[in-house]
Amino acid sequence: MLIDELWQHEQKQLIKLPEESYPVFKQFLIKFNKYNEFKLDGHLIHVPRARNYVQLSCVTYWDSFKVITNDGEILLSDARPYMRKRRFIPWKEILKDWLKKPRVVGHSRYANYLPTRIKEYLTVPSLALRKQRINELLTLLLTHDMNDIDQNFYEYIGREAEEVEHPYGVNWTEYDALSPKGTEALNHE
């Protein structure tokens, strides 16, 4: 018999593949440490709002994972650590936590991921001013992402500075000027 004839004979006995793809996943309960972290693929994964729930589950796929509540709410969805992709940082939730405990800003694991300007802006000694600035960033995050805020930092902060006078008398619109005022007099002499 020829291979083509064997294939025609075998095709009659084959079962048709399903129309919808079959979801392949693994679901398990998560145990968190005191920092709201759990271990997945040998890496610690931080879930900002984990302490608000009694029990959470992790659903893993070959390339991604989700952390879900018993009600089906997705708290975190990201690529698996071994995919070596850039990870999403939930800045809104982190800033909300920092608003409750403003002293933690400099010690937080996420402080290193803040753009330099924003990190310096938030690490002022005055806790009241720090809270005010965190609130301001939370408001900006409603319409912009963290990279956009960093790129247009002085424009966005300057807009707020015009409305409310800065406690230390800093004018953010002139803060990053290349030449300080008053140098014109030196050039005329």
Side-chain angles (χ1 to χ4, degrees):
M1 276 186 128
L2 295 172
I3 293 176
D4 189 40
E5 292 173 1
L6 289 172
W7 174 241
Q8 295 300 329
H9 179 68
E10 190 174 333
Q11 272 186 330
K12 295 174 186 173
Q13 298 175 5
L14 294 177
I15 299 172
K16 185 179 177 183
L17 290 172
E19 297 290 326
E20 298 177 17
S21 61
Y22 181 74
V24 179
F25 65 91
K26 181 180 177 183
Q27 183 171 353
F28 55 91
L29 295 177
I30 305 172
K31 291 186 179 184
F32 288 93
N33 63 15
K34 64 181 180 179
Y35 303 111
N36 293 328
E37 299 168 329
F38 75 99
K39 201 166 226 178
L40 178 66
D41 301 327
H43 292 82
L44 288 173
I45 308 291
H46 181 248
V47 181
R49 297 187 300 153
R51 70 175 154 284
N52 297 344
Y53 299 92
V54 175
Q55 192 172 25
L56 294 175
S57 299
C58 182
V59 179
T60 56
Y61 303 95
W62 72 272
D63 64 339
S64 62
F65 72 94
K66 293 188 281 190
V67 176
I68 59 172
T69 65
N70 288 340
D71 299 328
E73 179 187 357
I74 299 172
L75 294 182
L76 180 66
S77 179
D78 207 349
R80 297 274 293 262
Y82 60 74
M83 295 297 289
R84 300 201 189 282
K85 290 189 175 182
R86 296 185 83 175
R87 310 265 319 267
F88 169 74
I89 299 177
W91 286 116
K92 289 179 189 172
E93 285 79 17
I94 293 165
L95 288 173
K96 286 177 186 175
D97 285 344
W98 289 356
L99 193 59
K100 294 174 191 166
K101 297 179 180 179
R103 288 190 173 140
V104 80
V105 172
H107 308 290
S108 172
R109 67 179 5 209
Y110 294 106
N112 294 334
Y113 299 111
L114 279 172
T116 307
R117 282 184 217 148
I118 296 174
K119 185 177 180 180
E120 292 297 322
Y121 182 67
L122 289 179
T123 54
V124 293
S126 168
L127 294 180
L129 181 60
R130 191 179 293 184
K131 276 187 165 186
Q132 177 186 346
R133 289 179 176 186
I134 292 170
N135 260 329
E136 184 178 6
L137 277 176
L138 278 169
T139 304
L140 287 171
L141 280 173
L142 294 174
T143 54
H144 308 286
D145 65 349
M146 192 60 82
N147 290 332
D148 184 34
I149 294 171
D150 182 46
Q151 295 290 325
N152 303 304
F153 181 76
Y154 298 112
E155 178 185 328
Y156 295 151
I157 300 302
R159 212 181 306 152
E160 296 293 323
E162 291 170 4
E163 297 169 10
V164 180
E165 187 176 327
H166 192 275
Y168 296 119
V170 175
N171 183 354
W172 288 107
T173 57
E174 297 176 3
Y175 186 77
D176 200 29
L178 293 174
S179 62
K181 290 190 176 188
T183 57
E184 302 86 26
L186 296 174
N187 293 336
H188 294 294
E189 291 180 9

